Amino acid sequence: VLVVAITLGVTLSRKPPQQTFKETFIARCHQYKGSDCETIWSTFEQAYVGRDPCKIPTDAYNPLFQVAPITMTCGKAMFWSKTKDVVHAYNENTKCFVTMEDTLLGSVLDNLIWCGKEGSNETFTSGCPDWNACKNNPVRSFWTQGSTKFAEAACGDATVMLNGSIATPFDTSSVFGSVEVLKLNSAKVKKLTVVLVTATTPVSNCSNESLNELRQKLDRKIGYECKEVSETRINECGSNDISCTNCW
Ligand code: N1C
């Protein structure tokens, strides 16, 4: 009995093996119903494996975006900055918009950290440079390049959710502020609507100075509109049958 109890105890306390980065990548790719996930994986890892993790230029991911291109439905592009949770909670329920995380590569790499090391063919998930440690790190270069392609693909009306609970809702150093705004093409994009997500006590409104900077960075031929919408209202739209065109 003692032996059985000990064996059982040891077995139960043994942690399940941790899913490797590659397994997570492949599993998420299959979940997305991606075809040829192994090819996508090997093209992905070629961008950074065996290289100094501060020397991965954005172009390193070009072959990856060729095997798994960013697709877009006109009128549905949704950008965000400092509002990720509210955007995704709303979109998961309504499917009104398409974010970068709704593309195959965006959904596969969301919330992940990865890098390589010189002289190794492994993928590491710790000890990788922070976002701001060096500009050409594997994670930052991926999101920069993906966001470039995502913004270039936008067409019709585009929307961005910005955070009205901070003093500077439009941050020129963010991916939205430094990459996406500049890549919106006036030949395809008619208008950009800012949805400024406000809390009970808003910190900024549509006359915020940073939003003037946004208008300056935006191609003059693209229309602009800003709407203050409470987070409560957005969550309500996500949980009730309020049509995509009726929330704001
Ligand atoms: O720097 P941000 O926001 O302005 O970037 C958000 C902006 C969105 O419109 C997306 O299209 O850029 C794109 N994007 C992602 O889709 C994304 N998913 C996860 C940019 N960054 C993304 N991440 C991670 O969030 C990334 O690792 C980086 O650190 C944050 C950026 O969040 P932010 O500052 O709120």
Side-chain angles (χ1 to χ4, degrees):
V1 178
L2 188 62
V3 173
V4 170
I6 290 169
T7 316
L8 189 66
V10 168
T11 313
L12 289 177
S13 67
R14 204 178 281 149
K15 290 203 187 83
Q18 200 32 117
Q19 199 178 34
T20 65
F21 184 88
K22 178 181 176 179
E23 286 165 348
T24 306
F25 186 107
I26 298 284
R28 287 184 177 188
C29 180
H30 285 146
Q31 252 165 42
Y32 194 91
K33 310 233 181 302
S35 56
D36 226 351
C37 293
E38 284 289 340
T39 305
I40 298 173
W41 163 257
S42 63
T43 312
F44 167 72
E45 65 167 0
Q46 274 166 38
Y48 62 87
V49 148
R51 303 216 236 157
D52 179 333
C54 276
K55 290 183 182 162
I56 311 303
T58 52
D59 283 355
Y61 290 104
N62 283 345
L64 176 65
F65 288 104
Q66 258 163 37
V67 295
I70 301 276
T71 53
M72 179 68 73
T73 310
C74 284
K76 289 200 143 207
M78 166 71 83
F79 303 98
W80 51 266
S81 194
K82 318 289 186 280
T83 51
K84 194 181 185 200
D85 293 346
V86 47
V87 166
H88 289 129
Y90 172 75
N91 271 337
E92 248 156 61
N93 294 322
T94 64
K95 305 271 184 281
C96 287
F97 295 95
V98 174
T99 67
M100 174 78 184
E101 285 70 32
D102 296 312
T103 67
L104 185 145
L105 290 172
S107 78
V108 165
L109 292 162
D110 193 22
N111 292 325
L112 299 184
I113 303 247
W114 65 92
C115 64
K117 210 185 257 181
E118 277 181 297
S120 161
N121 56 15
E122 274 181 77
T123 294
F124 299 87
T125 54
S126 61
C128 296
D130 286 340
W131 185 267
N132 287 317
C134 48
K135 201 165 170 265
N136 285 339
N137 71 66
V139 175
R140 183 166 170 164
S141 288
F142 169 79
W143 289 111
T144 302
Q145 197 66 342
S147 302
T148 299
K149 309 235 179 248
F150 185 71
E152 283 172 348
C155 42
D157 289 345
T159 308
V160 61
M161 274 198 194
L162 299 179
N163 192 335
S165 297
I166 54 179
T168 315
F170 179 72
D171 171 6
T172 51
S173 71
S174 68
V175 174
F176 176 69
S178 64
V179 179
E180 291 173 330
V181 166
L182 303 169
K183 299 292 176 185
L184 295 176
N185 175 354
S186 64
K188 293 195 294 174
V189 179
K190 276 191 302 179
K191 185 174 89 174
L192 177 69
T193 299
V194 171
V195 173
L196 192 64
V197 184
T198 57
T200 323
T201 354
V203 173
S204 45
N205 56 28
C206 280
S207 18
N208 185 276
E209 169 56 28
S210 75
L211 296 174
N212 290 335
E213 275 180 76
L214 164 54
R215 298 191 68 167
Q216 279 166 28
K217 287 207 164 198
L218 192 64
D219 188 317
R220 281 187 304 103
K221 297 191 259 344
I222 299 176
Y224 170 89
E225 184 177 20
C226 177
K227 293 186 175 178
E228 293 155 19
V229 187
S230 76
E231 187 166 350
T232 316
R233 169 67 181 166
I234 296 170
N235 289 332
E236 186 200 1
C237 296
S239 48
N240 298 313
D241 276 321
I242 295 167
S243 86
C244 294
T245 49
N246 273 356
C247 191
W248 53 76

